[in-house]
């Protein structure tokens, strides 16, 4: 969850830099967060969706986080089982942080 929170914070700041007005940033943030939550399995168990939706969720950060938590909580897997998920989230957070440092606008 720490790696996901770092990624979400960096992505939110990048989104804030891209928007021209506060309304644009808020609207896009709400839409993107809802779409990512739906497609990643945060709204309902991803297992009840079609196979293509389950595969799609594994390409999204929300899907990585939900799959990792599901493995730990529901299936009782060891923390080593979710190491690939954590690594992917941490690398994505680092990449987003790098992009943020290059695009940050001071006002």
């Amino acid at each position: 969850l720490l790696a996901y929170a770092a990624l979400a914070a960096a992505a939110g700041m990048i989104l804030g830099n891209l928007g021209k007005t506060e309304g644009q940033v808020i609207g896009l943030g709400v839409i993107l967060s809802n779409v990512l939550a739906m497609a990643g399995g945060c709204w309902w168990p991803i297992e009840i969706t079609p196979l293509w939706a389950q595969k799609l969720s594994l390409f999204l950060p929300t899907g990585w986080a939900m799959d990792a938590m599901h493995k730990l909580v529901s299936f009782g897997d060891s923390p080593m089982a979710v190491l690939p998920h954590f690594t992917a989230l941490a690398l994505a957070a680092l990449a987003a942080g790098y992009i943020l440092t290059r695009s940050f606008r001071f006002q």
Side-chain angles (χ1 to χ4, degrees), residues 15 22-37 43:
L15 179 63
E22 186 178 345
Q24 284 179 344
V25 173
I26 291 171
L28 192 56
V30 168
I31 290 169
L32 281 176
S33 62
N34 281 312
V35 168
L36 286 172
W43 283 3

Side-chain angles (χ1 to χ4, degrees), residues 17-80:
N17 282 332
L18 296 177
K20 303 288 185 213
T21 66
E22 186 178 345
Q24 284 179 344
V25 173
I26 291 171
L28 192 56
V30 168
I31 290 169
L32 281 176
S33 62
N34 281 312
V35 168
L36 286 172
M38 180 265 315
C42 301
W43 283 3
W44 47 70
I46 200 68
E47 292 82 16
I48 67 169
T49 62
L51 187 59
W52 64 266
Q54 294 176 30
K55 291 186 186 284
L56 173 69
S57 74
L58 296 178
F59 289 99
L60 302 170
T62 49
W64 303 336
M66 289 302 295
D67 189 48
M69 289 191 301
H70 196 59
K71 285 182 179 183
L72 291 173
V73 175
S74 299
F75 299 123
D77 286 349
S78 71
M80 293 304 291

